[in-house]
Short mmCIF file of all heavy atoms in Angstrom, two decimals:
data_model
loop_
_atom_site.label_atom_id
_atom_site.label_comp_id
_atom_site.label_asym_id
_atom_site.label_seq_id
_atom_site.Cartn_x
_atom_site.Cartn_y
_atom_site.Cartn_z
N GLN A 79 196.26 51.68 62.95
CA GLN A 79 196.04 53.01 62.38
C GLN A 79 195.39 53.90 63.43
O GLN A 79 195.73 55.07 63.56
CB GLN A 79 195.17 52.95 61.13
CG GLN A 79 194.87 54.35 60.62
CD GLN A 79 194.61 54.46 59.17
OE1 GLN A 79 195.18 53.71 58.38
NE2 GLN A 79 193.78 55.40 58.78
N GLU A 80 194.47 53.34 64.19
CA GLU A 80 193.78 54.11 65.23
C GLU A 80 194.78 54.68 66.24
O GLU A 80 194.70 55.85 66.62
CB GLU A 80 192.75 53.22 65.94
CG GLU A 80 191.79 53.99 66.81
CD GLU A 80 190.73 53.08 67.42
OE1 GLU A 80 190.17 52.23 66.71
OE2 GLU A 80 190.49 53.23 68.64
N GLU A 81 195.74 53.86 66.67
CA GLU A 81 196.76 54.32 67.62
C GLU A 81 197.61 55.43 66.99
O GLU A 81 197.89 56.45 67.63
CB GLU A 81 197.67 53.16 68.04
CG GLU A 81 196.99 52.17 68.95
CD GLU A 81 197.85 50.93 69.20
OE1 GLU A 81 198.48 50.41 68.24
OE2 GLU A 81 197.89 50.48 70.35
N MET A 82 197.99 55.23 65.73
CA MET A 82 198.81 56.24 65.05
C MET A 82 198.08 57.57 64.97
O MET A 82 198.67 58.62 65.24
CB MET A 82 199.18 55.76 63.64
CG MET A 82 200.17 54.63 63.61
SD MET A 82 200.62 54.28 61.91
CE MET A 82 200.81 52.51 61.98
N VAL A 83 196.81 57.53 64.62
CA VAL A 83 196.02 58.75 64.51
C VAL A 83 195.93 59.45 65.87
O VAL A 83 196.06 60.67 65.96
CB VAL A 83 194.61 58.44 63.94
CG1 VAL A 83 193.68 59.63 64.08
CG2 VAL A 83 194.73 58.03 62.47
N GLU A 84 195.73 58.68 66.93
CA GLU A 84 195.66 59.26 68.29
C GLU A 84 196.98 59.94 68.65
O GLU A 84 196.98 61.04 69.21
CB GLU A 84 195.31 58.19 69.33
CG GLU A 84 193.87 57.73 69.28
CD GLU A 84 192.85 58.86 69.47
OE1 GLU A 84 193.08 59.75 70.32
OE2 GLU A 84 191.85 58.86 68.74
N TRP A 85 198.10 59.30 68.36
CA TRP A 85 199.41 59.90 68.66
C TRP A 85 199.59 61.20 67.88
O TRP A 85 200.04 62.20 68.41
CB TRP A 85 200.56 58.94 68.34
CG TRP A 85 200.63 57.76 69.27
CD1 TRP A 85 200.29 57.73 70.60
CD2 TRP A 85 201.06 56.44 68.94
NE1 TRP A 85 200.49 56.47 71.10
CE2 TRP A 85 200.96 55.65 70.11
CE3 TRP A 85 201.51 55.83 67.77
CZ2 TRP A 85 201.32 54.31 70.15
CZ3 TRP A 85 201.86 54.50 67.81
CH2 TRP A 85 201.77 53.74 68.99
N LEU A 86 199.26 61.16 66.58
CA LEU A 86 199.41 62.35 65.75
C LEU A 86 198.53 63.49 66.27
O LEU A 86 198.98 64.63 66.34
CB LEU A 86 199.03 62.03 64.30
CG LEU A 86 200.01 61.13 63.54
CD1 LEU A 86 199.37 60.61 62.26
CD2 LEU A 86 201.31 61.86 63.24
N ALA A 87 197.30 63.16 66.65
CA ALA A 87 196.36 64.18 67.13
C ALA A 87 196.80 64.77 68.47
O ALA A 87 196.46 65.90 68.80
CB ALA A 87 194.96 63.60 67.24
N SER A 88 197.59 64.01 69.22
CA SER A 88 197.99 64.44 70.56
C SER A 88 199.12 65.48 70.54
O SER A 88 199.33 66.18 71.52
CB SER A 88 198.43 63.24 71.40
OG SER A 88 199.70 62.77 70.96
N ASP A 89 199.86 65.57 69.43
CA ASP A 89 201.02 66.47 69.40
C ASP A 89 201.36 66.87 67.97
O ASP A 89 201.83 66.04 67.19
CB ASP A 89 202.22 65.78 70.05
CG ASP A 89 203.39 66.71 70.29
OD1 ASP A 89 203.51 67.73 69.57
OD2 ASP A 89 204.17 66.44 71.20
N GLY A 90 201.12 68.13 67.65
CA GLY A 90 201.39 68.63 66.31
C GLY A 90 202.84 68.48 65.87
O GLY A 90 203.13 68.42 64.68
N MET A 91 203.77 68.39 66.83
CA MET A 91 205.18 68.23 66.47
C MET A 91 205.48 66.84 65.92
O MET A 91 206.53 66.63 65.32
CB MET A 91 206.09 68.52 67.67
CG MET A 91 206.12 69.99 68.07
SD MET A 91 206.62 71.12 66.75
CE MET A 91 208.40 70.97 66.84
N LEU A 92 204.57 65.90 66.11
CA LEU A 92 204.76 64.56 65.55
C LEU A 92 204.34 64.48 64.08
O LEU A 92 204.66 63.52 63.39
CB LEU A 92 203.96 63.52 66.35
CG LEU A 92 204.52 63.12 67.71
CD1 LEU A 92 203.54 62.20 68.43
CD2 LEU A 92 205.88 62.43 67.55
N ILE A 93 203.61 65.48 63.63
CA ILE A 93 203.03 65.42 62.28
C ILE A 93 204.00 65.98 61.24
O ILE A 93 204.55 67.06 61.40
CB ILE A 93 201.71 66.22 62.22
CG1 ILE A 93 200.72 65.70 63.26
CG2 ILE A 93 201.11 66.15 60.82
CD1 ILE A 93 199.47 66.55 63.41
N LYS A 94 204.19 65.20 60.17
CA LYS A 94 205.02 65.65 59.06
C LYS A 94 204.34 66.86 58.45
O LYS A 94 203.12 66.90 58.32
CB LYS A 94 205.14 64.53 58.02
CG LYS A 94 206.06 64.88 56.87
CD LYS A 94 206.18 63.69 55.93
CE LYS A 94 207.06 64.02 54.75
NZ LYS A 94 208.38 63.46 54.90
N ARG A 95 205.13 67.82 58.07
CA ARG A 95 204.57 69.05 57.55
C ARG A 95 205.34 69.53 56.34
O ARG A 95 206.46 69.10 56.14
CB ARG A 95 204.55 70.10 58.66
CG ARG A 95 205.91 70.30 59.30
CD ARG A 95 205.82 71.09 60.59
NE ARG A 95 207.15 71.27 61.10
CZ ARG A 95 207.66 70.60 62.10
NH1 ARG A 95 206.96 69.71 62.75
NH2 ARG A 95 208.90 70.83 62.50
N PRO A 96 204.73 70.39 55.57
CA PRO A 96 203.36 70.87 55.68
C PRO A 96 202.36 69.85 55.13
O PRO A 96 202.73 68.96 54.37
CB PRO A 96 203.36 72.12 54.80
CG PRO A 96 204.38 71.81 53.73
CD PRO A 96 205.44 71.00 54.42
N ILE A 97 201.12 70.01 55.53
CA ILE A 97 200.02 69.26 54.94
C ILE A 97 199.17 70.29 54.21
O ILE A 97 198.83 71.32 54.77
CB ILE A 97 199.17 68.53 55.99
CG1 ILE A 97 200.01 67.46 56.71
CG2 ILE A 97 197.94 67.89 55.34
CD1 ILE A 97 199.28 66.78 57.86
N VAL A 98 198.86 70.00 52.96
CA VAL A 98 198.02 70.89 52.16
C VAL A 98 196.82 70.08 51.68
O VAL A 98 196.97 68.96 51.21
CB VAL A 98 198.78 71.48 50.95
CG1 VAL A 98 197.89 72.41 50.14
CG2 VAL A 98 200.04 72.20 51.40
N THR A 99 195.63 70.65 51.83
CA THR A 99 194.42 69.97 51.38
C THR A 99 193.40 70.95 50.84
O THR A 99 193.32 72.08 51.31
CB THR A 99 193.78 69.12 52.51
OG1 THR A 99 192.62 68.45 51.99
CG2 THR A 99 193.38 69.98 53.69
N ASP A 100 192.65 70.50 49.85
CA ASP A 100 191.54 71.30 49.34
C ASP A 100 190.21 70.64 49.69
O ASP A 100 189.16 70.99 49.18
CB ASP A 100 191.65 71.50 47.82
CG ASP A 100 191.52 70.20 47.03
OD1 ASP A 100 191.35 69.12 47.64
OD2 ASP A 100 191.58 70.27 45.78
N GLY A 101 190.26 69.64 50.58
CA GLY A 101 189.05 68.92 50.96
C GLY A 101 188.89 67.62 50.18
O GLY A 101 188.11 66.76 50.57
N ASN A 102 189.65 67.48 49.09
CA ASN A 102 189.62 66.25 48.29
C ASN A 102 191.01 65.65 48.15
O ASN A 102 191.21 64.48 48.34
CB ASN A 102 189.04 66.52 46.90
CG ASN A 102 187.59 66.94 46.95
OD1 ASN A 102 186.79 66.27 47.58
ND2 ASN A 102 187.27 68.05 46.32
N LYS A 103 191.96 66.52 47.78
CA LYS A 103 193.34 66.07 47.59
C LYS A 103 194.17 66.50 48.80
O LYS A 103 193.87 67.50 49.44
CB LYS A 103 193.94 66.68 46.33
CG LYS A 103 193.21 66.29 45.06
CD LYS A 103 193.76 67.00 43.85
CE LYS A 103 193.43 68.46 43.93
NZ LYS A 103 193.42 69.25 42.76
N VAL A 104 195.23 65.73 49.06
CA VAL A 104 196.11 66.02 50.20
C VAL A 104 197.55 65.76 49.79
O VAL A 104 197.85 64.74 49.16
CB VAL A 104 195.75 65.10 51.41
CG1 VAL A 104 196.73 65.31 52.56
CG2 VAL A 104 194.33 65.33 51.87
N THR A 105 198.44 66.67 50.17
CA THR A 105 199.88 66.41 50.04
C THR A 105 200.49 66.53 51.43
O THR A 105 200.05 67.34 52.24
CB THR A 105 200.58 67.39 49.06
OG1 THR A 105 200.30 68.73 49.45
CG2 THR A 105 200.13 67.16 47.63
N VAL A 106 201.50 65.71 51.67
CA VAL A 106 202.20 65.69 52.96
C VAL A 106 203.68 65.92 52.66
O VAL A 106 204.27 65.21 51.86
CB VAL A 106 202.02 64.33 53.67
CG1 VAL A 106 202.68 64.36 55.04
CG2 VAL A 106 200.55 63.97 53.79
N GLY A 107 204.26 66.91 53.33
CA GLY A 107 205.65 67.26 53.04
C GLY A 107 205.68 68.20 51.84
O GLY A 107 204.62 68.60 51.33
N PHE A 108 206.88 68.56 51.41
CA PHE A 108 206.98 69.48 50.26
C PHE A 108 208.01 69.00 49.27
O PHE A 108 209.19 68.87 49.57
CB PHE A 108 207.36 70.89 50.73
CG PHE A 108 207.60 71.85 49.59
CD1 PHE A 108 206.58 72.16 48.71
CD2 PHE A 108 208.85 72.42 49.38
CE1 PHE A 108 206.78 73.03 47.64
CE2 PHE A 108 209.07 73.29 48.32
CZ PHE A 108 208.04 73.60 47.45
N LYS A 109 207.53 68.70 48.07
CA LYS A 109 208.37 68.44 46.91
C LYS A 109 207.77 69.30 45.81
O LYS A 109 206.60 69.14 45.46
CB LYS A 109 208.32 66.97 46.52
CG LYS A 109 209.06 66.06 47.47
CD LYS A 109 209.26 64.69 46.83
CE LYS A 109 210.18 63.84 47.67
NZ LYS A 109 209.50 62.86 48.47
#
Side-chain angles (χ1 to χ4, degrees):
Q79 176 153 328
E80 192 176 315
E81 288 172 319
M82 289 185 215
V83 168
E84 287 302 319
W85 291 328
L86 289 166
S88 73
D89 190 334
M91 290 303 278
L92 284 174
I93 304 172
K94 184 177 178 101
R95 53 194 183 257
I97 296 175
V98 181
T99 182
D100 65 359
N102 295 309
K103 299 175 291 202
V104 175
T105 54
V106 183
F108 175 62
K109 287 194 171 102

